[in-house]
Amino acid sequence: MNEKQKKSKSKFLSYVLRHHPEIINLNLDENGWANVDELITTSKRDSYEGFTFEELDEIVQTNAKKRFAFNEDKTRIRASQGHSIDINLALIPQQPPEFLYHGTAQSNIESILEKGIEKRDRQHVHLSQDKETATSVGMRHGKPIILTIKTGEMFENGIEFYLSDNGVWLTDFVNSIYISR
């Protein structure tokens, strides 16, 4: 599989596992896990050639953002975070570092500083451990702006945080009082 094919298949996998499993009649359990054999079978539809196990394995192993994970025996697969569908990732609340970062576009700053960071159609707000990752996230939406989030203070005030399997920090909402530019 060349890089262009891998990117295309990774995007489709993300779309299916995070947002719309129904488009290929794929069943996810309450924790977002899909049966690998079922995914391989159901992903072959219309003009889309689907996935082989080897392709799925390569996507999971080489995805720089570690967006996907297999269970121990590689019979089930799921997206690590970023779902817009209702699933329970069974994450355990954890104490975050003192500061985390959020990358966004310049066009969003006024709203964020007024209303905070909302999860919108996702299950959580995503925060990065480093400015570089936040910058790459912000670049997807235009000129990137990196916000520093006072996560230590949020945690002290009773706000829960979770660490996804791929190192993304998650929370339900970031009030603007915890945000600095």
Side-chain angles (χ1 to χ4, degrees):
M1 174 169 57
N2 65 38
E3 287 304 312
K4 184 178 179 183
Q5 290 170 317
K6 188 178 352 177
K7 184 175 182 178
S8 173
K9 286 183 179 261
S10 179
K11 283 186 174 193
F12 183 69
L13 184 62
S14 183
Y15 183 74
V16 168
L17 293 179
R18 294 166 75 185
H19 308 295
H20 292 286
E22 75 280 358
I23 67 164
I24 61 169
N25 296 314
L26 181 67
N27 295 304
L28 302 183
D29 72 11
E30 66 276 1
N31 301 119
W33 291 103
N35 178 287
V36 170
D37 289 337
E38 182 184 345
L39 173 61
I40 290 168
T41 301
T42 61
S43 66
K44 294 175 176 73
R45 62 173 190 83
D46 303 328
S47 61
Y48 192 75
E49 72 271 15
F51 299 101
T52 65
F53 176 80
E54 292 73 22
E55 289 170 335
L56 288 173
D57 194 40
E58 183 178 344
I59 289 168
V60 171
Q61 299 305 320
T62 62
N63 186 274
K65 295 181 180 180
K66 300 291 180 202
R67 290 181 191 255
F68 314 104
F70 281 121
N71 66 341
E72 284 188 26
D73 63 2
K74 295 187 176 182
T75 58
R76 297 187 305 156
I77 188 171
R78 76 174 178 184
S80 297
Q81 96 291 318
H83 299 82
S84 62
I85 56 176
D86 188 25
I87 61 146
N88 178 1
L89 289 173
L91 300 171
I92 299 167
Q94 296 187 35
Q95 182 172 355
E98 190 67 25
F99 298 100
L100 290 170
Y101 305 95
H102 183 77
T104 191
Q106 175 70 45
S107 60
N108 297 331
I109 291 300
E110 190 175 314
S111 174
I112 287 174
L113 294 178
E114 181 182 320
K115 299 177 185 173
I117 304 172
E118 303 169 318
K119 59 186 174 181
R120 302 210 175 187
D121 63 345
R122 296 212 177 163
Q123 286 192 312
H124 297 99
V125 171
H126 297 188
L127 302 173
S128 304
Q129 294 187 57
D130 58 78
K131 291 179 181 178
E132 294 77 22
T133 301
T135 299
S136 70
V137 170
M139 287 174 62
R140 295 185 308 198
H141 309 289
K143 181 182 176 193
I145 301 294
I146 308 311
L147 303 172
T148 300
I149 312 301
K150 301 172 197 167
T151 47
E153 189 177 330
M154 289 175 67
F155 183 77
E156 287 174 14
N157 290 331
I159 297 167
E160 289 188 337
F161 288 85
Y162 310 93
L163 184 59
S164 70
D165 291 342
N166 63 340
V168 176
W169 283 92
L170 308 169
T171 193
D172 288 332
F173 173 73
V174 179
N175 189 303
S176 60
I177 64 172
Y178 300 112
I179 300 171
S180 62
R181 285 183 77 169

